Amino acid sequence: MAKRCAICRQPLLGEYIVDHWGTEICAKHEKEVIPCAYCGRLMTNTRTRGLEDAPRCSECILQAVDSPIKARLPLQSVLAWFAHRDLSLEQSEVPLELCDRRVLDGYAQSSESKHLGITRVITERSRGRSFRRVERIAILRGLPVALFQGVVAHELGHAWLHKNDIHNLAAKSEEGFCELLSHMFYRQATGPGAAYYARTVEENRHPVYRGGFREMQERVKRRGFAVFLSEVRKSGTIS
């Protein structure tokens, strides 16, 4: 039985398009489809739009993390994953906030890059000493569960570094470390979205994120993650 186009349901007898999720579409429909902003699934131009007018497929809408209640279990899963890898953080150290695009861009003090998460750290003084504290971890409201967890893993990487007084790092080193954690989480997670989002980390074209991730990945390949993490903790830096 011939495969059929997901749009017109006609047999796919000639050239056709296939996305990461196996959606098959006649080549003649190429100008009628766009990718979901979150998972890349191909959708027709009559798609449902999501937050901030970003096109979202029906699957991502169903999985949207858009309230603290919906965030609770996915967050706990990431925290458990961190603890298993000697990266323990208490839930009280993770002041999670779901927010819209405008607020998130305000925290980032930039609208040039479409951030999905931001970790804000403040410096406080007590008894003549200064210390750094994570004020909030802001995540874009409405991300599908798998993407939400990877973004949280990245931001928890920032929180862990600051908790262990590892700061003043080069952006490439810090973001690379956090991208490494996000990628590791995706690679060891189950579910259809994990492989797709792991690939988005690998294919990120931003020089800081992509370059930093590749450097951290090479170090882990040479030393193993446990040794790499121990060296970071003991040295107080990522050089």
Side-chain angles (χ1 to χ4, degrees), residues 1-12 23-26:
M1 184 176 179
K3 296 179 179 179
R4 292 184 177 274
C5 172
I7 294 179
C8 66
R9 305 308 301 167
Q10 294 300 308
L12 293 165
T23 306
E24 298 166 327
I25 297 172
C26 296

Side-chain angles (χ1 to χ4, degrees), residues 71-168:
R72 186 183 305 155
L73 289 179
L75 172 60
Q76 289 176 352
S77 177
V78 180
L79 286 170
W81 185 88
F82 264 60
H84 187 64
R85 283 150 189 83
D86 197 24
L87 291 157
S88 295
L89 287 165
E90 299 296 329
Q91 192 148 358
S92 60
E93 299 174 303
V94 186
L96 186 70
E97 175 186 340
L98 299 176
C99 56
D100 61 27
R101 169 59 61 193
R102 179 184 58 80
V103 173
L104 193 62
D105 286 346
Y107 290 152
Q109 298 181 339
S110 170
S111 59
E112 295 180 2
S113 180
K114 294 300 182 182
H115 301 278
L116 299 180
I118 293 291
T119 298
R120 284 176 58 91
V121 178
I122 59 175
T123 301
E124 297 180 337
R125 293 187 63 83
S126 177
R127 298 180 181 178
R129 297 180 57 189
S130 62
F131 62 95
R132 298 167 67 82
R133 177 176 64 83
V134 175
E135 180 186 40
R136 65 168 54 87
I137 294 177
I139 306 293
L140 184 65
R141 182 185 293 107
L143 300 182
V145 173
L147 178 56
F148 169 83
Q149 289 182 302
V151 174
V152 167
H154 179 106
E155 299 307 326
L156 292 189
H158 289 295
W160 183 86
L161 289 171
H162 289 291
K163 175 184 176 180
N164 288 273
D165 201 28
I166 303 169
H167 51 88
N168 295 326

Side-chain angles (χ1 to χ4, degrees), residues 113 115 117-118 154-155 158 171-172 175-176 178-179 201 204-214:
S113 180
H115 301 278
I118 293 291
H154 179 106
E155 299 307 326
H158 289 295
K172 193 173 182 181
E175 297 300 343
C178 297
E179 284 288 270
V201 174
N204 190 334
R205 296 184 179 183
H206 194 289
V208 171
Y209 289 80
R210 184 180 187 179
F213 163 68
R214 290 187 172 185

